[in-house]
Amino acid sequence: MSDIEITSREAIPDDAAELLQVSHKIAQETDFLIMDEAGLGLNTELLALQLADLYESENNLLLLAFADEKIIGMASVKAARESAVAHIGEIGVSVLKEFWGIGLGSTLLAEVIDWSEKESSLRRLELTVQKRNERARYLYEKFGFITEATMARGAKTLHGDFLDVLLMSRLIN
């Protein structure tokens, strides 16, 4: 794994088909995501349109990580258009299982934070994470995110068990 070159860039409309496939695979590989095996719930054409809008947006980002020109992970920042909350970016990070444990999540999160500080008008980043997802919680805490709330029954497993979800945030500038 150490001899693989990993690159990253913003998603573009041409990434839509592969992004759908990778999102579907990631959803199958972990039960820590809210997204299930149905994936993003979009077809390629709709996703391509959304990616075009994202690319032009000041406060939204979809960063893709590549190895051998194939998508292996992603990090996103999604902000609302309404002016009262447009300064808040919701973060999401996901990586294909075969690339867990090599620091890719840290690299993607660092790039997202750097982009947020230098190229956006965001002043708050936030995310939700299942309380039981210790690796993700450690990652977010390492980058200065703090837990603001525990949402009891914030998610549910396929078997119907309720899970606590943490709301974490990091203020910018």
Side-chain angles (χ1 to χ4, degrees):
M1 189 73 66
S2 61
D3 58 346
I4 276 187
E5 182 182 337
I6 296 175
T7 59
S8 65
R9 65 164 169 77
E10 281 191 62
I12 58 173
D14 288 347
D15 295 320
E18 184 181 359
L19 185 56
L20 284 173
Q21 291 175 340
V22 172
S23 297
H24 180 78
K25 184 172 184 188
I26 288 171
Q28 291 176 323
E29 292 179 339
T30 181
D31 62 354
F32 288 130
L33 298 177
I34 292 173
M35 174 178 64
D36 60 17
E37 59 277 348
L40 299 174
L42 297 171
N43 64 34
T44 304
E45 294 76 23
L46 282 174
L47 181 57
L49 289 171
Q50 283 192 0
L51 292 176
D53 284 346
L54 273 179
Y55 193 78
E56 297 299 321
S57 170
E58 175 188 317
N59 282 347
N60 293 276
L61 174 72
L62 179 55
L63 187 66
L64 302 178
F66 293 85
D68 296 327
E69 299 180 26
K70 297 204 179 315
I71 299 171
I72 61 167
M74 62 196 87
S76 62
V77 181
K78 187 175 189 308
R81 294 182 195 271
E82 296 82 13
S83 61
V85 291
H87 66 285
I88 302 170
E90 184 177 351
I91 301 267
V93 178
S94 54
V95 174
L96 284 171
K97 193 170 194 171
E98 99 181 70
F99 295 94
W100 288 3
I102 63 167
L104 184 55
S106 290
T107 300
L108 288 168
L109 188 55
E111 287 188 48
V112 160
I113 291 169
D114 187 62
W115 172 86
S116 298
E117 291 174 341
K118 294 177 180 169
E119 299 183 41
S120 78
S121 60
L122 297 172
R123 293 296 170 261
R124 173 185 168 89
L125 298 176
E126 63 184 30
L127 57 92
T128 56
V129 61
Q130 290 179 19
K131 188 174 182 180
R132 65 187 180 136
N133 190 348
E134 292 178 16
R135 289 175 66 183
R137 287 176 31 213
Y138 174 79
L139 170 68
Y140 300 131
E141 288 167 358
K142 182 171 86 170
F143 281 90
F145 284 80
I146 59 163
T147 300
E148 291 187 344
T150 300
M151 298 179 282
R153 297 185 180 181
K156 189 169 70 169
T157 68
L158 292 174
H159 303 295
D161 298 320
F162 289 107
L163 303 169
D164 287 348
V165 172
L166 304 178
L167 171 63
M168 300 182 77
S169 71
R170 181 182 196 277
L171 300 182
I172 301 174
N173 299 335

